[in-house]
Amino acid sequence: MDTEVIVAGAGPTGLTAALELARRGIGVRLLDAAPAPFTGSRGKGLQPRSMELLDAVGGVTDRLVALGRTHLPVRRYGPDGVHDEPGRGREPTPDTPWPTSLLLPQWRTEQVLRERLAECGVVPEQGVRVDDLTADDHGVTVTTAVGPIRARYLVGADGGGSTVRRRLGIPFLGETREEMRMVVADVELEGLDREHWHQWGSPAPGAYSWVALCPLPASPTWQLQAGPLDDREPDEAVLAEIVGARGPRVRLRSVAWRSVWRLNVRMVADYRVGPVFLAGDAAHVHSPAGAQGMNTGIGDAVNLGWKLAAVLRGVDEALLDTYTAERLPIAAGVLGISTELSGGAMWARTAEQVRTTSQLDLSYRDGPLGSSDDGPGPRPGDRAPDAPVGDSTVFLRRREADWTVLTTDAGVEVPGATVVVAGEAAATTYALAPGEVLAIRPDGYVGTRGDADAVRAWLAPLTARRGTARVA
Ligand SMILES: Cc1cc2nc3c(=O)[nH]c(=O)nc-3n(C[C@H](O)[C@H](O)[C@H](O)COP(=O)(O)OP(=O)(O)OC[C@H]3O[C@@H](n4cnc5c(N)ncnc54)[C@H](O)[C@@H]3O)c2cc1C
């Protein structure tokens, strides 16, 4: 073996997967076909649940929050005048420290993930494309221009056009809607204030009848989205025309990146073939409406990362089967909500849609590690909320080890887990009965709850360790 896990693709999904492995001391090589990191803004909305998932990865969320912004007001220009809408979002609460999506260009999010990964000793190998692969009972070998590389497992996080998926022969089921196209570009311009997300019109017939210009934080650029296209290539001259039509003082200065986006709604029927896994856009693509793509990829990577690490350190391989079982229904749901949103006004969302797209309510309750019992508080498979504990919080204490056990009884010991003694606040949030013990999974979902013996028995096969493991 050249390494324990190869991750193909250093987008947000592959970077998160590599980080989840590297910080647990697993040998990982992260290969990316592109000569350099991608510089376009693409996914500019980091959802609340992603911020929670990345918080456990050692301070990543604090760094992202310092760069991004929330509550950006919207200024709509319509036939009946200009209307300002205050920025949407909720105030933090003790159980949800990041309730509002964070605006940040995707390249910045990736940059922060790369910096954190480098702290764990892994640097993406740019310009190393996975051209082919062969898998057997003992591992997988990928073919690259720098020679064959062999590992126990391969994670295909190589985007919508995934070579890994194609080489596995896994169909990408769904449809491409050529008629639903828009131009997306990062531009510099003058004549508009950067304190609003400026939006004109709504999806309708007529070339460029809707235009959105969003100032990107931590960057001098704006993300332009506009459609429907006419038969011209949306080059710099067309972009200058679109921008210039916004007002007498509005002028395009430069174009840093531009792309034509087509609606693709596709997903695979299985995320795993033997030692090879698919994650992120390689497994599911859909409309950017609702800002779900990057976030769902990060969720895949976090779900898979701890499971791969556990199995490589001696836990039964059957744990890996829970990856498809837990994540495939999530992708199916995301395809539904993003298609629903892209069919209407892309930005006008109901409170219920905002809640759905925050991904805070995603649950694995119906999965193989979940439980459908209806007791009070979060049940096995549900998101584990934050809560104050002493002078710390559940989320901060979760950074100490993979498994966290919450209990009101200071005498409880559970091998392989950090035991956190819940005071009144955490006991209320989790509806913990006196003497009840609750285990939180490494990815921040409730694992199980019950008496101490039952929790120890449930956890033992999932924490078996071979060799040294660390959590950085
Ligand atoms: C206009 C637009 C707006 C969007 N807005 C949002 C948003 O607000 N929120 C959101 O969550 N998502 C959004 N998305 C979607 C988001 O950008 C994607 O879902 C996200 O980039 C997927 O991440 P990924 O890591 O799975 O794949 P990618 O980001 O596509 O990364 C794949 C990587 O694999 C590499 N690669 C490809 N082939 C190979 C190979 N054979 N070997 C090795 N490496 C390879 C590529 O170079 C690339 O670096 C938007 C997308 C667009 C286009």
Side-chain angles (χ1 to χ4, degrees):
M1 296 289 170
D2 297 301
T3 187
E4 290 180 286
V5 182
I6 297 167
V7 178
T13 305
L15 286 163
T16 306
L19 192 45
E20 285 295 73
L21 294 162
R23 76 190 185 89
R24 295 186 167 95
I26 302 294
V28 57
R29 283 183 67 178
L30 176 54
L31 314 178
D32 195 281
F38 193 79
T39 55
S41 59
R42 296 201 291 174
K44 61 186 181 309
L46 204 61
Q47 295 293 353
R49 186 59 180 147
S50 301
M51 289 195 265
E52 295 185 355
L53 297 178
L54 293 176
D55 179 59
V57 184
V60 166
T61 298
D62 293 339
R63 298 181 208 184
L64 294 168
V65 168
L67 291 166
R69 73 162 291 175
T70 57
H71 298 82
L72 182 67
V74 173
R75 178 161 291 172
R76 290 184 200 281
Y77 304 79
D80 54 344
V82 178
H83 300 283
D84 282 351
E85 282 175 21
R88 287 193 190 180
R90 290 187 298 135
E91 290 308 312
T93 54
D95 69 350
T96 310
W98 303 284
T100 304
S101 65
L102 186 75
L103 184 66
L104 193 66
Q106 185 173 320
W107 64 266
R108 271 281 184 210
T109 301
E110 293 180 17
Q111 187 183 52
V112 170
L113 290 169
R114 268 199 307 278
E115 283 166 10
R116 180 72 185 99
L117 188 57
E119 291 165 12
C120 296
V122 176
V123 175
E125 298 172 52
Q126 300 289 158
V128 181
R129 183 189 161 77
V130 170
D131 291 318
D132 207 349
L133 63 98
T134 49
D136 54 55
D137 288 348
H138 307 289
V140 51
T141 303
V142 300
T143 313
T144 74
V146 296
I149 306 173
R150 186 160 173 79
R152 180 71 192 88
Y153 296 107
L154 167 66
V155 179
D158 50 345
S162 174
T163 305
V164 172
R165 187 189 64 235
R166 287 164 202 247
R167 292 290 178 264
L168 290 173
I170 296 183
F172 211 21
L173 306 167
E175 57 172 357
T176 301
R177 303 265 303 273
E178 281 294 335
E179 79 283 7
M180 295 214 26
R181 294 187 303 157
M182 68 173 169
V183 57
V184 188
D186 290 347
V187 300
E188 286 196 50
L189 57 81
E190 59 194 39
L192 283 177
D193 74 86
R194 288 181 66 88
E195 287 307 308
H196 293 90
W197 185 340
H198 302 265
Q199 300 177 358
W200 291 262
S202 61
Y208 299 114
S209 54
W210 66 271
V211 175
L213 282 162
C214 179
L216 295 169
S219 160
T221 54
W222 299 67
Q223 188 186 68
L224 176 150
Q225 292 175 298
L229 273 60
D230 54 20
D231 51 12
R232 293 173 297 168
E233 162 73 16
D235 57 14
E236 191 156 337
V238 172
L239 294 179
E241 198 179 293
I242 297 170
V243 171
R246 298 311 107 200
R249 290 189 174 77
V250 188
R251 198 176 67 84
L252 181 81
R253 271 205 213 120
S254 61
V255 179
W257 165 74
R258 68 184 166 87
S259 171
V260 172
W261 170 89
R262 288 167 184 77
L263 178 61
N264 260 305
V265 183
R266 293 179 185 276
M267 66 181 285
V268 294
D270 201 341
Y271 284 17
R272 178 185 184 187
V273 178
V276 186
F277 298 84
L278 295 173
D281 275 20
H284 43 76
V285 291
H286 44 81
S287 155
Q292 299 291 279
M294 173 178 66
N295 292 279
T296 308
I298 288 171
D300 290 346
V302 170
N303 185 288
L304 180 59
W306 73 268
K307 293 175 181 173
L308 277 175
V311 168
L312 282 162
R313 292 293 173 263
V315 166
D316 194 301
E317 261 241 329
L319 180 62
L320 296 175
D321 293 333
T322 66
Y323 170 59
T324 298
E326 290 192 332
R327 293 302 299 174
L328 193 136
I330 303 285
V334 165
L335 257 60
I337 180 80
S338 64
T339 304
E340 177 191 321
L341 289 169
S342 67
M346 206 131 127
W347 313 284
R349 290 190 275 146
T350 63
E352 190 190 336
Q353 286 168 337
V354 169
R355 179 75 195 178
T356 304
T357 56
S358 76
Q359 304 199 345
L360 288 170
D361 292 336
L362 293 185
S363 171
Y364 302 136
R365 217 186 248 220
D366 298 330
L369 298 175
S371 152
S372 54
D373 74 280
D374 278 335
R379 309 314 296 173
D382 290 347
R383 161 184 172 263
D386 203 2
V389 274
D391 56 3
S392 188
T393 72
V394 170
F395 280 6
L396 285 169
R397 297 295 310 273
R398 277 195 48 230
R399 290 185 188 176
E400 293 168 21
D402 267 352
W403 289 91
T404 311
V405 160
L406 209 56
T407 170
T408 52
D409 179 354
V412 166
E413 285 184 15
V414 179
T418 300
V419 177
V420 175
V421 180
E424 200 186 327
T428 304
T429 303
Y430 280 86
L432 271 184
E436 193 180 16
V437 178
L438 179 146
I440 302 175
R441 294 168 28 161
D443 54 357
Y445 289 83
V446 175
T448 189
R449 54 191 301 165
D451 66 35
D453 284 340
V455 170
R456 273 192 289 265
W458 186 86
L459 210 56
L462 292 168
T463 52
R465 296 274 178 208
R466 188 168 58 212
T468 48
R470 68 182 164 85
V471 182

